[in-house]
């Protein structure tokens, strides 16, 4: 989802930083990367496009399950249409393999 504070400024949902970089120039599409923590968030016209950034499956990198902190995780929060309605995907992912490390 795209988050804005009371004054209408874009805000990272993970760290509240207002330093963000737009990742999409397409009409009706809002996708941002936080320059503070690397979170990806925004509103997509088609939610399916978010799977190119964060895969649907779990991160399988060694150490994921046993030693937290070994895998660098970043927050993601996308909303968009799946053709039937607006859905939201959010959680944490590993930016190297793009697999999910934590849901929600
Ligand atoms: Zn952030
Ligand atoms: Zn991984």
């Amino acid at each position: 989802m795209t988050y804005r504070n009371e004054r209408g400024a874009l805000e990272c949902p993970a760290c509240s930083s207002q330093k963000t970089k737009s990742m999409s120039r397409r009409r009706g599409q809002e996708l941002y990367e936080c320059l503070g923590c690397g979170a990806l968030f925004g509103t997509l016209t088609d939610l399916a496009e978010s799977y190119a950034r964060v895969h649907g499956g779990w991160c399988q990198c060694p150490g994921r399950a046993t030693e937290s902190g070994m895998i660098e995780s970043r927050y993601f929060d996308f909303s968009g249409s799946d053709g039937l309605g607006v859905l939201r995907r959010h959680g944490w992912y590993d930016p190297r393999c793009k697999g999910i490390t934590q849901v929600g």
Side-chain angles (χ1 to χ4, degrees):
M1 303 210 303
T2 308
Y3 293 85
R4 292 180 197 277
N5 67 16
E6 320 80 62
R7 293 183 303 282
L10 266 177
E11 204 169 88
C12 171
C15 74
S16 296
S17 169
Q18 290 178 18
K19 293 193 174 76
T20 56
K21 181 171 84 174
S22 177
M23 304 288 285
S24 176
R25 306 230 174 271
R26 282 178 39 201
R27 217 181 147 82
Q29 183 122 297
E30 293 186 301
L31 182 63
Y32 300 96
E33 179 179 6
C34 173
L35 298 180
C37 70
L40 281 178
F41 62 99
T43 307
L44 307 171
T45 35
D46 181 356
L47 190 66
E49 292 181 12
S50 69
Y51 288 90
R53 309 242 175 212
V54 178
H55 295 168
W58 292 99
C59 164
Q60 301 288 346
C61 298
R64 176 184 71 83
T66 48
E67 292 166 79
S68 53
M70 297 232 355
I71 300 289
E72 180 200 357
S73 289
R74 293 185 185 175
Y75 187 72
F76 70 93
D77 191 337
F78 305 124
S79 65
S81 175
D82 70 342
L84 297 171
V86 173
L87 295 179
R88 181 174 171 222
R89 303 177 66 205
H90 62 118
W92 297 80
Y93 78 106
D94 175 356
R96 289 170 304 172
C97 72
K98 299 183 182 177
I100 294 170
T101 56
Q102 192 185 319
V103 168

